[in-house]
Amino acid sequence: MAITDAPKIVTSRFRYDDAHTLARYEATGGYQALRKALAMPPAAVVEEVKAASLLGRGGAGFPAGVKWGFCPPGVWPRYLVVNGDESEPGTYKDRMLMERDPHQIIEGVLIASYAVGCSQAFLYVRGEMALAQERIAAALNEAYAAGYVGRNILGSEFSLDIVLHWGAGAYIVGEETALIESLEGERGMPRLKPPYFPAAKGLYLQPTIVNNIETLSNVPWIVANGAEAFSALGAETSKGTRLFAVSGHVANPGVFEVEYGVTTFRDLIYAPVYAGGIRGDRQLKAFIPGGASSPWFFEEHLDLPLEKVTVDRAGSMLGSGAIVVMDETTDAVRACHRVVRFFAAESCGKCTPCREGTTWLERILKRILDGQGRASDLELLLDVADNISPGITWPPKQTTICPLGPSAVSPVASAIRRFRHEFEAHIARNPKASGAVDATGSGAARPAALETPVPFGGHHG
């Protein structure tokens, strides 16, 4: 197992019960990186983060320092928006950071705002995360009172106001343009790109940088310790450490900070210091490697490192850092339905293929589970999925503005491709199903549609 002794960059204070307070934060080196950054030219701070090769931790994995340089020169005001609307099933790493170490986020916001040239930043936190909101609000009050936020911060010419905004619990605002719509008081729906790339036309149509909570939590450490120390950790294309939230059928679910690109899925799922293996000593059936929208992985993928490029090439993604483990007792059809039902409920309704398609996928899967499945249902599922994400490929194509629609296709394609026999067994429970499916494997005729290959990426199958 590749379990390293890499330093904890963003969870180093989790061992303290009062990690959320200013007193603890200052006692453990907090806000020293801000002092250092304010003594540097803003462009030098940007270059430091670029040199660290800090990839965004929200899902897309875009280099943060490069993103900071996207704002058009000479256009003011410009804003920093912090995406704390984490809500994909099984994803809860950012919530831990907001609840346990809010001053680390605030310091990251301050340094990023100084580097980009913002005088106002917005912290958008998911509506259901009451404790996170309370902890951040209390930390902001402490930071304002101590002179870390507000006018002429630490005696410098840099001033920043931070607005804490609570969401209303819509998954779609995790998408950056939908979040901006919500901040402007509109219904959370994604904008078309182009022309609405946030760096050019973001909040109030001004240049806007949108960063994730974990991304900004790394920034104080990078500034304090230097880009070289950060980039010395991790793999060639995935530097530093990264948080992963492991849930499902494991002995010890939780959030773990591991060296990026070095630790493997097997390490994270089976090592006693992490998730501790499958509960009840059962066998692994499948796991979702990067949030509910990612294609499923299986036993043969366990030894892949947690590295963005490697996982992308294997046909899935690390995405939101949520790993959901399913043991051998899992009903693949029911698991697929649970995920699709989430996306159908969270579709904002703007794009017809997503609004109608995800709902139909959910209805067909429910019909199969209820013993009312039809022999043509697998072909129908794939046809609907193809209308949302043409070709059902990875990376996905889409007929929608944002990736929510294709997200519902991933579990359908993964489950049908690997566990087709389980779908057939459910359908065979319906005595009225036309062209009855032989779930016993006795060689009886089965519909040609069930033989339709699923052109989905990955090493398996």
Side-chain angles (χ1 to χ4, degrees):
M1 287 189 172
I3 299 171
T4 69
D5 57 355
K8 303 299 182 190
I9 291 179
V10 296
T11 62
S12 63
R13 299 180 188 85
F14 277 22
R15 64 184 186 275
Y16 300 112
D17 291 338
D18 62 348
H20 57 282
T21 65
L22 178 60
R24 176 60 66 188
Y25 193 65
E26 290 180 321
T28 50
Y31 290 112
Q32 293 305 311
L34 175 63
R35 294 179 188 277
K36 182 178 178 181
L38 292 178
M40 302 163 62
V45 179
V46 174
E47 289 305 314
E48 191 74 18
V49 176
K50 274 186 184 177
S53 301
L54 170 64
L55 301 182
R57 305 302 202 235
F62 194 82
V66 175
K67 181 186 273 192
W68 290 3
F70 278 170
C71 289
V75 182
W76 313 92
R78 52 184 61 169
Y79 302 109
L80 176 72
V81 171
V82 186
N83 188 345
D85 195 81
E86 179 184 60
S87 52
E88 201 162 67
T91 311
Y92 52 100
K93 63 182 181 62
D94 290 345
R95 194 184 83 201
M96 292 294 102
L97 290 170
M98 290 187 278
E99 293 178 355
R100 304 294 293 276
D101 203 345
H103 280 287
Q104 181 174 243
I105 299 166
I106 293 171
E107 188 173 14
V109 170
L110 286 159
I111 295 171
S113 297
Y114 173 73
V116 175
C118 305
S119 59
Q120 194 164 22
F122 296 82
L123 242 166
Y124 192 106
V125 181
R126 185 168 176 78
E128 291 92 333
M129 297 180 182
L131 180 58
Q133 295 161 12
E134 292 175 12
R135 290 273 171 87
I136 292 175
L140 277 174
N141 288 336
E142 288 180 316
Y144 266 102
Y148 292 122
V149 185
R151 288 186 176 276
N152 301 115
I153 294 168
L154 298 177
S156 71
E157 295 182 355
F158 172 56
S159 300
L160 180 74
D161 273 323
I162 301 177
V163 177
L164 174 61
H165 186 92
W166 299 358
Y171 169 74
I172 189 63
V173 298
E175 197 279 336
E176 59 183 6
T177 61
L179 187 153
I180 288 171
E181 284 279 304
S182 175
L183 267 179
E184 292 181 358
E186 304 293 337
R187 181 174 175 178
M189 286 182 162
R191 295 174 174 174
L192 278 172
K193 299 177 187 175
Y196 297 110
F197 289 108
K201 294 180 181 296
L203 186 63
Y204 309 124
L205 296 185
Q206 292 298 122
T208 302
I209 298 298
V210 183
N211 279 147
N212 161 266
I213 290 286
E214 186 187 348
T215 307
L216 290 174
S217 293
N218 277 278
V219 171
W221 196 95
I222 291 172
V223 172
N225 295 276
E228 190 174 343
F230 186 85
S231 60
L233 302 169
E236 183 62 30
T237 59
S238 301
K239 300 296 186 183
T241 63
R242 187 168 172 187
L243 293 184
F244 290 93
V246 185
S247 62
H249 299 152
V250 292
N252 181 37
V255 174
F256 306 101
E257 182 174 6
V258 302
E259 192 168 357
Y260 204 1
V262 176
T263 308
T264 67
F265 286 106
R266 187 184 299 278
D267 297 332
L268 196 56
I269 293 172
Y270 286 96
V273 295
Y274 299 136
I278 310 294
R279 68 187 186 191
D281 292 327
R282 295 193 180 99
Q283 297 298 308
L284 175 74
K285 181 168 188 173
F287 61 98
I288 302 174
S293 54
S294 60
W296 298 0
F297 271 175
F298 309 97
E299 174 80 22
E300 62 268 30
H301 297 103
L302 280 172
D303 292 316
L304 290 177
L306 293 156
E307 182 185 24
K308 179 182 179 336
V309 172
T310 301
V311 174
D312 288 351
R313 288 174 180 161
S316 191
M317 64 176 180
L318 292 176
S320 61
I323 297 174
V324 182
V325 177
M326 293 176 266
D327 71 18
E328 58 188 323
T329 67
T330 304
D331 181 331
V333 184
R334 193 169 301 281
C336 176
H337 173 255
R338 289 283 180 89
V339 178
V340 171
R341 185 175 63 180
F342 169 81
F343 289 117
E346 293 294 339
S347 173
C348 75
K350 188 169 185 174
C351 306
T352 303
C354 176
R355 181 184 66 242
E356 299 296 326
T358 57
T359 304
W360 276 109
L361 289 176
E362 192 276 331
R363 289 177 180 174
I364 297 165
L365 288 164
K366 180 68 164 55
R367 180 167 72 200
I368 293 172
L369 286 169
D370 287 345
Q372 301 298 315
R374 302 166 185 171
S376 59
D377 274 350
L378 287 186
E379 184 180 22
L380 185 57
L381 281 170
L382 295 175
D383 185 48
V384 174
D386 184 68
N387 277 279
I388 300 171
S389 182
I392 317 179
T393 57
W394 189 265
K397 299 174 183 174
Q398 59 192 53
T399 54
T400 54
I401 294 175
C402 85
L404 190 149
S407 295
V409 172
S410 290
V412 172
S414 297
I416 292 179
R417 182 175 190 185
R418 185 76 169 206
F419 305 109
R420 176 180 291 267
H421 60 287
E422 293 191 26
F423 285 83
E424 293 172 352
H426 275 289
I427 292 171
R429 291 163 51 215
N430 180 11
K432 297 181 181 178
S434 175
V437 177
D438 175 29
T440 65
S442 63
R446 70 178 184 180
L450 299 182
E451 303 292 353
T452 304
V454 184
F456 207 65
H459 290 310
H460 54 82

